[in-house]
Amino acid sequence: MANLSISQVSHIHSLTADFLKKRLAQNGFEDFSSSHGNILFQLSVNKEITMKELATKINRDKSTTTVLVRKLEQEGLVTTTPSPTDRRNKILALTPKGTEYNTLMTQLSQELVSTFYKNFSPSEIAQFQAFLERIESNFR
């Protein structure tokens, strides 16, 4: 039974990733991974952030974060500037195109959540969210 549940979680993850990838491609954002989206989300919350802070927030090492950020910079979604206090550090910020991406992701997230909870009652949604929070806390 536990293996079936893990398989279902993995399958749902794949379905939601495919859903988002398809919708993003339809809106001109091809070849984006969930890590790219997480970076852009973090920048929408934090406005400016150092590479080191970002790596911690997205749970990736600094070298992996640098590769992900370079792609976003090449796509015109983020800018990097040297820190005024420590030139070894880079400060990241969203561009207008990055903000556009986040606006689209907000809309797609609402569509995804609506699909996810289709045919659930409000009490079932609340109970399910409580279970998800408990599962997440088990890994901390």
Side-chain angles (χ1 to χ4, degrees):
M1 176 98 157
N3 287 338
L4 178 59
S5 296
I6 291 170
S7 174
Q8 285 175 311
V9 168
S10 178
H11 185 69
I12 290 167
H13 178 266
S14 293
L15 290 171
T16 58
D18 290 347
F19 173 93
L20 289 173
K21 186 173 180 111
K22 179 181 176 185
R23 297 297 195 287
L24 285 168
Q26 290 170 343
N27 287 277
F29 292 98
E30 295 87 8
D31 299 324
F32 278 80
S33 72
S34 58
S35 293
H36 291 119
N38 194 4
I39 289 169
L40 295 169
F41 172 76
Q42 291 300 328
L43 286 170
S44 74
V45 171
N46 296 286
K47 304 304 176 210
E48 289 186 343
I49 192 169
T50 66
M51 193 75 79
K52 182 178 178 179
E53 292 168 326
L54 179 63
T56 300
K57 289 187 180 290
I58 67 168
N59 196 32
R60 299 285 184 265
D61 62 44
K62 195 172 175 209
S63 62
T64 299
T65 302
T66 299
V67 171
L68 292 166
V69 167
R70 277 191 192 132
K71 166 118 172 108
L72 293 173
E73 196 171 23
Q74 289 169 352
E75 295 290 328
L77 297 162
V78 301
T79 60
T80 59
T81 55
S83 168
T85 57
D86 182 353
R87 301 205 51 84
R88 293 171 298 172
N89 255 335
K90 289 187 178 182
I91 305 288
L92 308 169
L94 284 176
T95 65
K97 186 176 178 183
T99 301
E100 177 187 331
Y101 173 91
N102 280 339
T103 300
L104 174 63
M105 275 308 295
T106 297
Q107 295 166 357
L108 294 179
S109 293
Q110 290 169 349
E111 185 181 344
L112 180 66
V113 169
S114 177
T115 301
F116 192 91
Y117 287 122
K118 185 178 177 182
N119 300 320
F120 279 70
S121 71
S123 64
E124 288 172 325
I125 292 170
Q127 185 178 23
F128 184 69
Q129 287 175 334
F131 289 149
L132 289 175
E133 288 171 14
R134 193 181 321 161
I135 290 167
E136 184 179 14
S137 72
N138 288 341
F139 286 96
R140 290 190 184 135

